[in-house]
Amino acid sequence: FVQFPQTARPTLGLPWQQQARNRMASSDIGQSRALATVSGRAHGFLGRSMQHPATLQARLLWQRLPVGGKLISAGLALVTGVSILQAILNMIIAVAWVVCFVLCGAYLATKRPELTSFEPAFQEWFTRDYYPRVQQRLTTDQRWSPVLTALGPAVGRFEPSIAYTFWASRCLPASTTDWLLFRTAQVNLGSSAQPMYMTFVGVHDCWFALPKAQSELGNLSLLEAETPLQA
């Protein structure tokens, strides 16, 4: 049999482990030197401050004060320090409030609803909130019967979808205004002679109507103005 010489197998992992240990040791040495440098500079600054003529004079005056004077001076120093800390905290709180307001304003500005979303929101408000009140008044007040008859059988049957089409064709498009943080839309639900303006506010991707008095919501001058045209 022929025997081949056995070669030594390389020990895997030792070189990079040794390098990692060397880097960690170098890092620790660098941090220790940096801390020693900072500590030395701090001690040097403190020593120079204590040897300053103004500091020496203050220490001399402090030693000459009686016990009562020292107590009063310490109290005044404490009050002054607390006042300074309180002023710094108030400043930090004021800056935090300003930052919060700016961030909230930027968020609301990006969440303004699109103008194209107003008409669906107006239709939902009309059929859910406004027209049920109008329908109740039209059904209970007999003086509106001739007006509804003149406007046609569809409106006379008080169908919400037909009523919305009737009002929307005369009220829309709305007058809109952009206020950077929100949008407003104004719609005249009355006639030009007796207007009844409803204001809607668009904020955070939704529209809502501002409160209106019940007496103003009873303004049906639009029906009265349209009756001669349909008769």
Side-chain angles (χ1 to χ4, degrees), residues 84-131:
I84 294 174
L85 289 177
Q86 186 175 3
I88 294 174
L89 290 177
N90 291 337
M91 186 180 300
I92 294 174
I93 293 174
V95 172
W97 274 110
V98 171
V99 172
C100 288
F101 279 123
V102 171
L103 293 178
C104 290
Y107 175 76
L108 291 177
T110 59
K111 287 295 184 176
R112 288 173 298 172
E114 297 293 335
L115 295 178
T116 55
S117 65
F118 172 71
E119 186 170 346
F122 174 71
Q123 181 177 4
E124 181 181 359
W125 171 83
F126 183 91
T127 55
R128 184 188 62 188
D129 297 336
Y130 176 70
Y131 188 68

Coordinates of all heavy atoms in Angstrom, one line a residue, residues 84-131:
I84 N -35.4 79.4 36.9 CA -34.8 79.2 35.6 C -35.2 77.9 35.0 O -35.5 77.8 33.8 CB -33.2 79.3 35.8 CG1 -32.8 80.7 36.2 CG2 -32.5 78.8 34.5 CD1 -31.3 80.8 36.5
L85 N -35.2 76.8 35.9 CA -35.7 75.5 35.4 C -37.1 75.6 34.9 O -37.5 75.0 33.9 CB -35.5 74.5 36.5 CG -34.1 74.1 36.8 CD1 -34.1 73.1 38.0 CD2 -33.4 73.5 35.6
Q86 N -38.0 76.3 35.7 CA -39.4 76.4 35.3 C -39.5 77.2 33.9 O -40.3 76.8 33.1 CB -40.2 77.1 36.4 CG -41.7 77.2 36.1 CD -42.4 77.8 37.2 OE1 -41.8 78.2 38.2 NE2 -43.7 77.8 37.1
A87 N -38.7 78.2 33.8 CA -38.7 79.0 32.5 C -38.3 78.1 31.3 O -38.9 78.1 30.2 CB -37.9 80.2 32.6
I88 N -37.3 77.3 31.6 CA -36.8 76.4 30.5 C -37.9 75.3 30.2 O -38.1 75.0 29.0 CB -35.5 75.7 30.9 CG1 -34.4 76.7 31.1 CG2 -35.1 74.6 30.0 CD1 -33.1 76.1 31.6
L89 N -38.5 74.8 31.2 CA -39.6 73.8 31.0 C -40.8 74.4 30.2 O -41.3 73.8 29.3 CB -40.1 73.2 32.3 CG -39.1 72.3 33.0 CD1 -39.6 71.8 34.4 CD2 -38.8 71.0 32.2
N90 N -41.1 75.7 30.6 CA -42.2 76.3 29.9 C -41.9 76.6 28.4 O -42.7 76.4 27.5 CB -42.5 77.7 30.6 CG -43.2 77.5 32.0 OD1 -43.8 76.4 32.2 ND2 -43.0 78.5 32.8
M91 N -40.6 76.9 28.2 CA -40.2 77.1 26.8 C -40.3 75.8 26.0 O -40.7 75.8 24.9 CB -38.8 77.7 26.8 CG -38.3 78.1 25.4 SD -36.6 78.7 25.5 CE -36.8 80.2 26.6
I92 N -39.8 74.7 26.6 CA -39.9 73.4 26.0 C -41.3 73.0 25.7 O -41.6 72.5 24.6 CB -39.2 72.3 26.8 CG1 -37.7 72.7 26.9 CG2 -39.4 71.0 26.3 CD1 -36.9 71.7 27.9
I93 N -42.2 73.3 26.6 CA -43.6 72.9 26.4 C -44.2 73.8 25.3 O -45.0 73.3 24.5 CB -44.4 73.1 27.8 CG1 -43.9 72.1 28.8 CG2 -45.9 73.0 27.5 CD1 -44.5 72.3 30.2
A94 N -43.9 75.1 25.3 CA -44.4 75.9 24.2 C -43.9 75.5 22.9 O -44.7 75.4 21.9 CB -44.0 77.4 24.5
V95 N -42.6 75.1 22.8 CA -42.1 74.6 21.5 C -42.8 73.3 21.1 O -43.1 73.1 19.9 CB -40.6 74.4 21.6 CG1 -40.0 73.7 20.4 CG2 -39.9 75.8 21.8
A96 N -43.1 72.5 22.1 CA -43.8 71.2 21.8 C -45.2 71.5 21.3 O -45.6 70.8 20.3 CB -43.8 70.3 23.0
W97 N -45.9 72.4 21.9 CA -47.2 72.8 21.4 C -47.2 73.3 20.0 O -48.0 73.0 19.1 CB -47.9 73.8 22.3 CG -48.5 73.2 23.5 CD1 -48.2 73.2 24.8 CD2 -49.8 72.4 23.5 NE1 -49.0 72.6 25.6 CE2 -50.0 72.1 24.8 CE3 -50.6 72.0 22.5 CZ2 -51.2 71.3 25.2 CZ3 -51.7 71.3 22.9 CH2 -52.0 70.9 24.2
V98 N -46.2 74.2 19.7 CA -46.1 74.7 18.3 C -45.8 73.6 17.3 O -46.4 73.5 16.3 CB -45.0 75.8 18.3 CG1 -44.7 76.2 16.9 CG2 -45.3 77.0 19.1
V99 N -44.9 72.7 17.7 CA -44.7 71.6 16.8 C -45.9 70.7 16.6 O -46.2 70.3 15.5 CB -43.5 70.7 17.4 CG1 -43.3 69.4 16.5 CG2 -42.2 71.5 17.3
C100 N -46.7 70.5 17.7 CA -47.9 69.7 17.6 C -48.9 70.4 16.6 O -49.5 69.7 15.8 CB -48.5 69.4 18.9 SG -47.6 68.3 20.0
F101 N -49.1 71.7 16.8 CA -50.0 72.4 16.0 C -49.6 72.4 14.5 O -50.4 72.2 13.6 CB -50.1 73.9 16.4 CG -51.1 74.0 17.6 CD1 -50.6 74.6 18.8 CD2 -52.4 73.6 17.5 CE1 -51.5 74.8 19.9 CE2 -53.2 73.8 18.6 CZ -52.8 74.4 19.8
V102 N -48.3 72.5 14.3 CA -47.8 72.5 12.9 C -48.1 71.1 12.3 O -48.5 71.0 11.1 CB -46.3 72.9 12.8 CG1 -45.7 72.6 11.5 CG2 -46.1 74.3 13.2
L103 N -47.8 70.0 13.0 CA -48.0 68.7 12.5 C -49.4 68.4 12.3 O -49.8 67.8 11.3 CB -47.3 67.7 13.5 CG -45.8 67.7 13.6 CD1 -45.3 66.7 14.6 CD2 -45.1 67.5 12.2
C104 N -50.3 68.8 13.2 CA -51.7 68.6 13.1 C -52.3 69.4 11.9 O -53.1 68.9 11.1 CB -52.5 69.0 14.3 SG -52.2 67.9 15.7
G105 N -51.8 70.6 11.7 CA -52.2 71.4 10.5 C -51.8 70.8 9.2 O -52.5 70.7 8.3
A106 N -50.5 70.3 9.2 CA -50.1 69.6 8.0 C -50.9 68.3 7.7 O -51.2 68.0 6.5 CB -48.6 69.2 8.1
Y107 N -51.3 67.6 8.8 CA -52.1 66.4 8.6 C -53.5 66.7 8.1 O -54.0 66.1 7.1 CB -52.1 65.6 9.9 CG -53.1 64.4 9.9 CD1 -52.6 63.3 9.3 CD2 -54.3 64.5 10.5 CE1 -53.5 62.2 9.3 CE2 -55.2 63.4 10.4 CZ -54.7 62.2 9.8 OH -55.6 61.1 9.8
L108 N -54.1 67.7 8.7 CA -55.4 68.1 8.2 C -55.4 68.6 6.8 O -56.3 68.4 6.0 CB -56.0 69.2 9.1 CG -56.4 68.7 10.6 CD1 -56.9 69.8 11.4 CD2 -57.4 67.6 10.5
A109 N -54.3 69.4 6.4 CA -54.2 69.9 5.1 C -54.2 68.8 4.0 O -54.7 68.9 2.9 CB -53.0 70.8 4.9
T110 N -53.5 67.6 4.4 CA -53.5 66.5 3.5 C -54.8 65.7 3.5 O -55.0 64.9 2.6 CB -52.3 65.6 3.8 OG1 -52.5 65.1 5.2 CG2 -51.0 66.3 3.7
K111 N -55.6 65.9 4.5 CA -56.9 65.1 4.6 C -58.1 65.9 4.1 O -59.2 65.5 4.4 CB -57.1 64.7 6.0 CG -56.1 63.5 6.4 CD -56.4 62.3 5.6 CE -55.5 61.1 6.1 NZ -55.9 59.9 5.4
R112 N -57.9 67.1 3.5 CA -59.1 67.8 3.0 C -59.8 66.9 1.9 O -59.2 66.3 1.0 CB -58.7 69.1 2.3 CG -58.2 70.1 3.3 CD -57.6 71.3 2.6 NE -56.5 71.0 1.8 CZ -55.9 71.7 0.9 NH1 -56.3 73.0 0.7 NH2 -54.8 71.3 0.2
P113 N -61.1 66.9 2.0 CA -61.9 66.1 1.0 C -61.8 66.7 -0.4 O -61.7 67.9 -0.5 CB -63.3 66.0 1.6 CG -63.4 67.3 2.4 CD -62.0 67.5 3.0
E114 N -61.9 65.9 -1.4 CA -61.9 66.4 -2.8 C -63.3 67.1 -3.0 O -64.3 66.7 -2.4 CB -61.7 65.2 -3.7 CG -60.3 64.6 -3.6 CD -59.2 65.5 -4.0 OE1 -59.5 66.4 -4.8 OE2 -58.1 65.3 -3.5
L115 N -63.2 68.0 -3.9 CA -64.5 68.7 -4.3 C -65.5 67.8 -4.9 O -66.7 68.0 -4.8 CB -64.2 69.9 -5.2 CG -63.3 71.0 -4.6 CD1 -63.0 72.1 -5.7 CD2 -64.0 71.6 -3.4
T116 N -65.0 66.8 -5.6 CA -65.9 65.8 -6.3 C -66.7 65.0 -5.3 O -67.7 64.4 -5.6 CB -65.1 64.9 -7.2 OG1 -64.0 64.3 -6.5 CG2 -64.5 65.7 -8.4
S117 N -66.2 64.9 -4.0 CA -66.9 64.1 -3.0 C -68.0 64.9 -2.4 O -68.8 64.3 -1.5 CB -65.9 63.7 -1.9 OG -65.4 64.8 -1.2
F118 N -68.2 66.2 -2.7 CA -69.3 66.9 -2.0 C -70.7 66.5 -2.4 O -71.6 66.4 -1.6 CB -69.1 68.4 -2.2 CG -70.2 69.3 -1.7 CD1 -70.4 69.4 -0.4 CD2 -71.2 69.8 -2.6 CE1 -71.5 70.2 0.1 CE2 -72.2 70.6 -2.1 CZ -72.4 70.8 -0.7
E119 N -70.9 66.3 -3.7 CA -72.2 66.0 -4.2 C -72.8 64.7 -3.6 O -73.9 64.7 -3.2 CB -72.2 66.0 -5.7 CG -73.6 65.8 -6.3 CD -73.7 66.0 -7.8 OE1 -72.7 66.5 -8.4 OE2 -74.7 65.6 -8.4
P120 N -72.0 63.6 -3.5 CA -72.5 62.5 -2.8 C -72.8 62.7 -1.4 O -73.8 62.2 -0.8 CB -71.4 61.4 -3.0 CG -70.7 61.8 -4.2 CD -70.7 63.3 -4.2
A121 N -72.0 63.5 -0.7 CA -72.2 63.8 0.7 C -73.5 64.7 0.8 O -74.3 64.5 1.8 CB -71.0 64.5 1.3
F122 N -73.7 65.6 -0.1 CA -74.9 66.5 0.0 C -76.1 65.7 -0.3 O -77.2 65.9 0.4 CB -74.7 67.6 -1.1 CG -76.0 68.5 -1.2 CD1 -76.3 69.3 -0.2 CD2 -76.8 68.3 -2.4 CE1 -77.5 70.1 -0.4 CE2 -77.9 69.1 -2.5 CZ -78.2 70.0 -1.5
Q123 N -76.1 64.7 -1.2 CA -77.2 63.9 -1.5 C -77.6 63.0 -0.2 O -78.8 62.9 0.1 CB -76.9 62.9 -2.7 CG -78.1 62.0 -3.0 CD -77.8 61.2 -4.2 OE1 -76.7 61.2 -4.8 NE2 -78.8 60.4 -4.7
E124 N -76.6 62.5 0.4 CA -76.9 61.7 1.7 C -77.5 62.6 2.7 O -78.4 62.2 3.4 CB -75.6 61.1 2.2 CG -75.8 60.2 3.4 CD -74.5 59.6 3.9 OE1 -73.4 59.9 3.3 OE2 -74.5 59.0 4.9
W125 N -77.0 63.8 2.9 CA -77.5 64.7 3.9 C -78.9 65.1 3.5 O -79.8 65.2 4.4 CB -76.7 66.0 4.0 CG -77.3 67.0 4.9 CD1 -77.2 67.2 6.2 CD2 -78.0 68.2 4.4 NE1 -77.9 68.3 6.7 CE2 -78.4 68.9 5.6 CE3 -78.4 68.6 3.2 CZ2 -79.2 70.1 5.5 CZ3 -79.2 69.8 3.1 CH2 -79.6 70.5 4.2
F126 N -79.2 65.4 2.3 CA -80.5 65.8 1.8 C -81.6 64.7 2.0 O -82.6 65.0 2.6 CB -80.4 66.2 0.3 CG -81.7 66.7 -0.2 CD1 -82.0 68.1 -0.2 CD2 -82.7 65.8 -0.8 CE1 -83.2 68.6 -0.7 CE2 -83.9 66.3 -1.3 CZ -84.2 67.7 -1.2
T127 N -81.3 63.5 1.6 CA -82.2 62.4 1.8 C -82.4 61.9 3.2 O -83.4 61.4 3.5 CB -81.8 61.3 0.8 OG1 -80.5 60.8 1.2 CG2 -81.9 61.7 -0.6
R128 N -81.4 62.1 4.0 CA -81.4 61.5 5.4 C -81.9 62.6 6.4 O -82.7 62.2 7.3 CB -80.0 61.0 5.8 CG -80.0 60.3 7.1 CD -78.6 60.0 7.5 NE -77.8 61.2 7.6 CZ -76.4 61.2 7.8 NH1 -75.8 60.0 7.8 NH2 -75.8 62.3 7.9
D129 N -81.4 63.8 6.3 CA -81.7 64.8 7.3 C -82.7 65.9 6.9 O -83.6 66.2 7.6 CB -80.3 65.5 7.8 CG -79.4 64.5 8.4 OD1 -79.8 63.5 8.9 OD2 -78.2 64.8 8.3
Y130 N -82.4 66.4 5.7 CA -83.2 67.6 5.3 C -84.6 67.2 4.8 O -85.6 67.7 5.3 CB -82.5 68.4 4.3 CG -83.2 69.6 3.8 CD1 -83.5 70.7 4.6 CD2 -83.7 69.6 2.5 CE1 -84.2 71.8 4.1 CE2 -84.4 70.7 2.0 CZ -84.7 71.8 2.8 OH -85.4 72.8 2.3
Y131 N -84.7 66.3 3.8 CA -85.9 66.1 3.1 C -87.0 65.5 4.0 O -88.2 65.8 3.9 CB -85.7 65.3 1.9 CG -87.0 65.1 1.1 CD1 -87.5 66.3 0.4 CD2 -87.7 63.9 1.0 CE1 -88.7 66.2 -0.3 CE2 -88.9 63.9 0.3 CZ -89.4 65.0 -0.4 OH -90.5 64.9 -1.1

